[in-house]
């Protein structure tokens, strides 16, 4: 005889979704794996990056975003990202910078 037991586990409601490194500068021509954390009503925080729907809020030609949250930069400027899970939405902004870092040494 086989007994199958099913238990339904309800997640607590999500209070907010925060995109990690929001307002960061990203070097032109690079690829970045985006990450988002959910803060639940009980205060627990978990990485839910792989469970989200990622999208570019302001579709321009300066970035391409994969369904997995990989942001490929193609031109300088601002890019606005949304991360959606169920009915919760988090938003973030990144600046794509085409300037290379120059090291200054003062003697």
């Amino acid at each position: 005889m086989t007994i199958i037991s099913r238990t339904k586990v309800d997640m607590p409601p999500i209070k907010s979704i925060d995109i990690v490194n929001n307002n960061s500068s990203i070097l032109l021509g690079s690829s970045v794996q985006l990450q988002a954390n959910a803060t639940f009503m009980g205060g627990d925080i978990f990485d839910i990056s792989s469970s989200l729907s990622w999208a570019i809020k302001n579709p321009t030609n300066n970035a391409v975003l994969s369904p997995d949250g990989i942001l490929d930069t193609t031109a300088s400027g601002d890019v606005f990202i949304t991360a959606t899970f169920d009915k919760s939405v988090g938003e973030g902004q990144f600046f794509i910078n085409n300037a290379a870092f120059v090291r200054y040494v003062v003697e």
Side-chain angles (χ1 to χ4, degrees), residues 7-12:
T7 304
K8 182 179 177 188
V9 177
D10 290 324
M11 272 188 358

Side-chain angles (χ1 to χ4, degrees), residues 5-75:
S5 174
R6 294 189 178 148
T7 304
K8 182 179 177 188
V9 177
D10 290 324
M11 272 188 358
I14 293 176
K15 182 178 180 181
S16 66
I17 295 176
D18 301 305
I19 297 176
V20 178
N21 295 330
N22 186 20
N23 294 317
S24 295
S25 182
I26 301 172
L27 186 61
L28 176 63
S30 63
S31 294
V32 177
Q33 173 66 61
L34 299 180
Q35 179 184 348
N37 293 327
T39 301
F40 293 89
M41 288 298 189
D44 292 328
I45 299 172
F46 292 101
D47 179 350
I48 60 167
S49 304
S50 62
S51 302
L52 294 169
S53 295
W54 294 97
I56 295 178
K57 187 175 180 179
N58 63 327
T60 61
N61 294 326
N62 62 345
V64 176
L65 183 60
S66 76
D68 297 336
I70 298 174
L71 183 68
D72 294 313
T73 61
T74 56

